[in-house]
Amino acid sequence: MNSKALIVAAIAAVTFSFSGVAMAGAKSIDLPPDGVQLKPSALPGYAKAQASCVVCHSAEYLQYQPPTAPRPYWDAMVKRMKTVFKAPIDEADMPAIVDYLAKTYGNEQPK
Ligand code: HEC
């Protein structure tokens, strides 16, 4: 076998094992088709977060943030999404989004 054939074989093996995993997942786990949704809220930041935060990734990342995280943590995160990843977030919408995040996922959640 020459090296090209080896690479083709390796790619085929990887492809097959991935489809195997996907098929097993479809049978055993019932995931919503478009990923994790943001927690609904009456806060104005909810709609803004839906418009600005789940364009690139689902709300899954937010589920794994510490519920003890204070407001400055969320503020820093929203700013990081904008500056580092170029998230299309309007400056004017940022306080409302941070408010929603702190009260929905952070330490300002209703007890
Ligand atoms: C332009 C695309 C984009 C948008 C829009 C965006 N993000 Fe992200 N976000 C990313 C990327 C890329 C990562 C992965 C960073 C990594 O792996 O370190 C990420 C990671 C995260 C994480 C995981 C923890 C972390 O710090 O890496 C959280 C939480 C998060 N984003 C929240 C938000 C929130 C809240 C918004 C809206 C204000 C938002 N994202 C908007 C691209 C985006």
Side-chain angles (χ1 to χ4, degrees):
M1 224 197 268
N2 63 26
S3 61
K4 219 175 203 173
L6 269 177
I7 291 169
V8 170
I11 291 172
V14 168
T15 311
F16 283 130
S17 55
F18 271 135
S19 55
V21 167
M23 272 151 64
K27 274 179 201 149
S28 55
I29 314 169
D30 200 10
L31 286 173
D34 50 354
V36 177
Q37 309 290 310
L38 287 169
K39 287 188 206 165
S41 164
L43 294 167
Y46 170 54
K48 296 184 196 300
Q50 273 193 314
S52 316
C53 299
V54 286
V55 204
C56 302
H57 48 70
S58 80
E60 190 177 5
Y61 283 178
L62 290 161
Q63 289 186 332
Y64 301 122
Q65 299 306 302
T68 50
R71 185 166 287 253
Y73 175 91
W74 302 101
D75 190 57
M77 179 195 297
V78 173
K79 288 194 176 122
R80 194 167 76 85
M81 291 301 133
K82 187 171 168 76
T83 53
V84 181
F85 303 121
K86 311 284 176 246
I89 310 165
D90 208 318
E91 291 283 340
D93 290 341
M94 285 167 72
I97 293 175
V98 171
D99 188 64
Y100 162 75
L101 293 173
K103 288 178 178 162
T104 312
Y105 293 96
N107 73 347
E108 294 176 34
Q109 292 178 58
K111 294 280 180 287

